[in-house]
Amino acid sequence: MKVAVLQFPGTNCEYDTVYAFKKLGADTEVVWHKDESLPSDIDLVVVAGGFSYGDYLRSGAIAKFSPIMKAVKEYANKGGKVLGICNGFQVLTESRLLPGALKRNDKLHFISRHHHLKVVSNDNIFLEKLNVDDVVNVPIAHHDGNYYIDEEGLKELYANNQVLLKYTDADGEISNPNGSVDSIAGICNKNKNVFGLMPHPERAMESLLGSDDGIKMLEGFLSA
């Protein structure tokens, strides 16, 4: 398996992502945002976390205009698998590859800590190694992680099993750190080939560092 990891000015999680997928045995390649095409032999594109363009306008709103994003859209529209983590999730919503938007956290503070998540749906390659209602412990680190979608859009997400993860406590009870609609932490598109989440599974690869729950989340792509 080969994974392309996008790098924008300000991205700071691309090498964490490379480490995570290499640990799982995948080949990886970092792709610069000014490139106009993706490597021809890839199986997955990851839009890594970080602060693309400094997040000075609206997180992900400038990155969507980078030349590489045209290639990412074409790749996704042909069924290619794309994963956006944190800022990458923001880039994918701004690019309309995923529905909804990310707003400032409801208390306006940057949040950086481990947080529990409950699996809502595993009817997808991203979470197929986990069971529905499993609770995982994964770091979050964001200022603009407040996921928003209108009521009609929310109904559509649930109807299509597009809600993947919710913020909870260790017992699986809802614990919303940022004000996200329905405590949503991760979603996918209707075709279930584009995924986005605010937490960082690539930072949950070593039990010594607090959790290795990210392994099962990313392993799903290896068998796809």
Side-chain angles (χ1 to χ4, degrees):
M1 180 184 183
K2 186 168 182 178
V3 180
V5 181
L6 302 195
Q7 183 183 54
F8 299 93
T11 300
N12 61 21
C13 297
E14 65 271 55
Y15 294 109
D16 296 316
T17 306
V18 166
Y19 172 83
F21 278 100
K22 280 188 174 180
K23 182 180 175 71
L24 299 178
D27 294 326
T28 60
E29 180 173 342
V30 174
V31 177
W32 183 233
H33 76 112
K34 285 193 173 180
D35 289 353
E36 295 184 351
S37 62
L38 293 164
S40 59
D41 55 347
I42 56 169
D43 303 290
L44 171 68
V45 174
V46 180
V47 189
F51 299 91
S52 59
Y53 295 93
D55 285 353
Y56 290 124
L57 175 61
R58 191 176 65 240
S59 302
I62 300 177
K64 71 178 180 182
F65 294 113
S66 284
I68 195 60
M69 288 308 298
K70 181 179 179 182
V72 172
K73 287 182 181 178
E74 291 174 356
Y75 179 76
N77 289 336
K78 291 178 181 176
K81 294 180 286 294
V82 179
L83 171 65
I85 302 171
C86 197
N87 185 249
F89 184 18
Q90 295 158 344
V91 174
L92 294 182
T93 57
E94 293 289 343
S95 302
R96 309 317 299 162
L97 284 170
L98 287 172
L102 277 307
K103 305 188 298 179
R104 285 286 167 92
N105 298 339
D106 61 355
K107 294 184 179 177
L108 305 181
H109 294 300
F110 187 91
I111 305 169
S112 180
R113 62 171 186 253
H114 275 77
H115 200 92
H116 291 89
L117 311 168
K118 184 162 71 176
V119 176
V120 177
S121 173
N122 64 353
D123 180 25
N124 57 81
I125 57 173
F126 179 34
L127 299 178
E128 67 178 4
K129 298 287 184 182
L130 292 159
N131 300 311
V132 172
D133 291 336
D134 276 357
V135 175
V136 296
N137 186 21
V138 176
I140 58 174
H142 55 248
H143 193 212
D144 301 86
N146 184 350
Y147 180 72
Y148 174 78
I149 192 165
D150 63 24
E151 190 172 339
E152 194 62 32
L154 185 61
K155 288 179 183 176
E156 196 169 331
L157 285 182
Y158 281 113
N160 296 319
N161 287 330
Q162 291 174 251
V163 177
L164 305 184
L165 295 160
K166 287 191 176 186
Y167 297 105
T168 69
D169 61 20
D171 297 320
E173 300 298 324
I174 291 298
S175 176
N176 191 337
N178 53 31
S180 290
V181 167
D182 246 22
S183 297
I184 290 174
I187 62 167
C188 65
N189 65 345
K190 282 184 182 177
N191 292 330
K192 299 181 181 176
N193 66 306
V194 181
F195 308 88
L197 75 166
M198 284 311 295
H200 287 266
E202 82 283 11
R203 296 184 186 176
M205 302 297 290
E206 303 284 352
S207 56
L208 182 66
L209 299 179
S211 170
D212 61 358
D213 288 349
I215 292 176
K216 281 189 175 181
M217 301 174 79
L218 301 183
E219 269 185 338
F221 292 110
L222 300 184
S223 57

